[in-house]
Amino acid sequence: MHVLDHPLIADELTRLRDPQCLPQEFRQRVRRIASLMVPAVTADLPTTTVPCPTPLETTTGLRITRDILLAPVLRAGLGFLDGFLDLIPQASVAHIGLARNEETLLPEPYYLKHPPNLENFTIILLDPMLATGGSAIEAVRRLRAAGARHLRFACLVAAPEGVGAFESAYPDVPVFTGALDRCLNQLGYILPGLGDAGDRLFGTAL
Ligand code: PRP
Ligand code: URA
C-alpha cells in the first residue's frame, strides 16, 4: 500500500473535493493527478540493458521489457486513463465494465474487453475510488481469470475498509493511492471523499 504523499497531488485533490469543481475542471484535475501518480506507480517496471547508439558513440541504455496494459474500471476509471496515457502513450487499454449496485454495494459486471495473452503485460488497474473494495476485487478476479499475472492497482482516494478488503483478497497486488481517507458512510461513500466520481466526471449527478 503506497499513499502518494506529494504537495502537487494534495493541492489538486483539495480543489477536486470541492463541490464547486464542475465536470470540465474535475476531468482536468483528475487527469493531472493521474499523470502525477505515474512515476511512483511505474517506478519498479522491469527493464533490460540494450546497446544505445548516439551520434558520438554507443553507450548502454535501458528498455522496459514488458508491454503495459492500462485497465480502467468503467465509468470513473476513464477519467483516470488519460493522465496515464499522456505519459505512457504506447500502452494498450483494457476496459472493465462494473457498476456498483446501490443497495447491495456489490459490483455488477457488464463489459470486459482486453487483448489476448494478458500474461505478457504489466497491467495497471485504474479506478479513482476504492470504497468497499468490491469493484477492485472483482476487476482483479476477472483479469486473473483471463490470464493476468503482473498486476498493480492505482486509485485516487481509498477508504481503510476497501484497502483492508483488497489487501486480504490480493496481498500480492500493490496498491497506489493519492489519499487514504477516514471511513465509509452508511451508503458506502468515502468520507470525506469527493462524492460520486463517475457522476462528477461526466455530469450525471441528479
Ligand atoms: C464507483 C467507483 C468504483 C466503485 C468503488 O463506481 O468508480 O468503481 O464505485 O466502490 P467499491 O469499492 O465499493 O466497489 P460505480 O459502480 O458507481 O460506477 P460509475 O463509475 O459508472 O459511476
Ligand atoms: N464510488 C464513488 O464514486 N465514490 C465513493 O465515495 C464511493 C464509491
Side-chain angles (χ1 to χ4, degrees):
M1 169 73 185
H2 307 267
V3 181
L4 305 187
D5 189 12
H6 191 287
L8 289 173
I9 295 177
D11 182 276
E12 287 287 350
L13 186 52
T14 299
R15 297 167 193 270
L16 193 67
R17 291 186 195 271
D18 186 336
Q20 303 301 323
C21 180
L22 300 178
Q24 183 181 357
E25 179 187 343
F26 194 92
R27 282 193 293 272
Q28 290 169 347
R29 295 197 184 285
V30 170
R31 182 176 187 150
R32 262 201 298 275
I33 296 174
S35 290
L36 288 166
M37 291 180 67
V38 170
V41 174
T42 56
D44 66 342
L45 288 183
T47 55
T48 189
T49 54
V50 292
C52 173
T54 80
L56 300 177
E57 61 178 17
T58 294
T59 180
T60 302
L62 285 180
R63 297 296 300 264
I64 292 170
T65 46
R66 208 182 290 127
D67 288 341
I68 298 173
L69 178 67
L70 301 173
V73 176
L74 307 180
R75 291 172 300 162
L78 292 176
F80 224 27
L81 173 67
D82 288 339
F84 274 80
L85 276 177
D86 287 342
L87 296 199
I88 320 174
Q90 75 277 23
S92 301
V93 178
H95 294 87
I96 306 170
L98 295 173
R100 197 170 73 147
N101 182 303
E102 289 180 8
E103 274 147 34
T104 65
L105 297 185
L106 296 174
E108 296 179 350
Y110 61 88
Y111 189 74
L112 180 63
K113 182 76 178 179
H114 57 76
N117 305 321
L118 283 186
E119 64 276 12
N120 296 336
F121 290 89
T122 294
I123 302 175
I124 308 177
L125 178 66
L126 301 173
D127 191 333
M129 309 308 279
L130 177 63
T132 66
S135 301
I137 290 169
E138 178 63 14
V140 172
R141 193 189 69 72
R142 289 166 72 79
L143 289 169
R144 283 254 165 102
R149 284 172 50 211
H150 312 286
L151 271 158
R152 57 195 65 198
F153 175 47
C155 60
L156 190 53
V157 180
E161 294 91 329
V163 173
F166 188 85
E167 288 187 337
S168 297
Y170 300 113
D172 55 326
V173 178
V175 178
F176 299 84
T177 185
L180 181 59
D181 275 11
R182 193 173 75 250
C183 64
L184 297 179
N185 72 8
Q186 288 178 336
L187 299 175
Y189 278 85
I190 300 173
L191 295 176
L194 47 75
D196 188 304
D199 283 345
R200 294 197 63 189
L201 278 162
F202 300 115
T204 51
L206 288 177

